[in-house]
């Protein structure tokens, strides 16, 4: 059974930092591109960041570039997202997601949520002003 379990969310003040983790089990982690999405109340789910299976490529939404960093540790089957300089508009439930990649997609960092195969349950991030 595939499981993606997010942790590290919480309440933080404007300008603060959080580090999200996503522990993955039930699949061969190194075969998957990994992503983070978020959904704020009353809004649609949106792409935040992704990292390729190759580990060499990352992709970020413009709203988080320079503030968020996605990384992965294949020996631990875990993907991380370091979030710095947090803003009230970063408040959302953050979801970890995995996409099986083969062949030419080895370097892909998908931004379309429909391309992903598995999703976690989410972790709440609240940034207070």
């Amino acid at each position: 059974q595939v499981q993606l379990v997010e942790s590290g969310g919480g309440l933080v003040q404007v300008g603060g930092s959080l580090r999200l983790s996503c522990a993955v089990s039930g699949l061969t982690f190194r075969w998957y591109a990994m992503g983070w999405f978020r959904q704020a109340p009353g809004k649609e789910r949106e792409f935040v960041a992704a990292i390729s299976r190759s580990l060499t490529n990352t992709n970020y939404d413009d709203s988080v570039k320079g503030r968020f960093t996605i990384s992965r540790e294949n020996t631990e089957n875990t993907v991380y997202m370091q979030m710095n300089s947090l803003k009230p508009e970063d408040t959302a439930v953050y979801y970890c997601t995995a996409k099986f990649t083969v062949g030419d997609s080895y370097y892909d960092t998908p931004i379309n949520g429909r391309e992903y195969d598995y999703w976690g349950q989410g972790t709440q991030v609240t940034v207070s002003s």
Side-chain angles (χ1 to χ4, degrees):
Q1 181 180 359
V2 176
Q3 286 192 312
L4 284 70
V5 181
E6 302 96 336
S7 61
L11 175 64
V12 64
Q13 291 188 332
V14 169
S17 298
L18 285 173
R19 189 192 194 203
L20 303 184
S21 299
C22 174
V24 180
S25 60
L27 53 77
T28 304
F29 184 71
R30 67 182 184 276
W31 292 351
Y32 286 75
M34 300 299 297
W36 288 96
F37 286 72
R38 67 186 180 187
Q39 188 168 19
K43 295 187 176 181
E44 293 189 352
R45 182 182 63 195
E46 64 178 7
F47 170 76
V48 178
I51 185 166
S52 63
R53 171 185 170 183
S54 68
L55 279 76
T56 57
N57 291 11
T58 57
N59 197 357
Y60 298 92
D61 184 76
D62 286 345
S63 65
V64 306
K65 279 182 182 176
R67 300 188 298 122
F68 291 10
T69 304
I70 188 171
S71 62
R72 63 189 293 166
E73 180 54 65
N74 283 0
T75 60
E76 298 175 357
N77 287 5
T78 302
V79 61
Y80 302 96
M81 188 159 69
Q82 178 66 41
M83 306 188 297
N84 299 328
S85 303
L86 283 161
K87 304 175 180 181
E89 52 264 43
D90 295 318
T91 295
V93 177
Y94 283 72
Y95 298 91
C96 171
T97 186
K99 179 186 186 298
F100 181 67
T101 57
V102 294
D104 292 343
S105 62
Y106 185 69
Y107 299 100
D108 286 0
T109 53
I111 65 172
N112 187 337
R114 294 187 180 90
E115 294 189 51
Y116 285 86
D117 302 301
Y118 300 102
W119 293 79
Q121 293 299 307
T123 185
Q124 176 70 47
V125 171
T126 303
V127 184
S128 65
S129 57

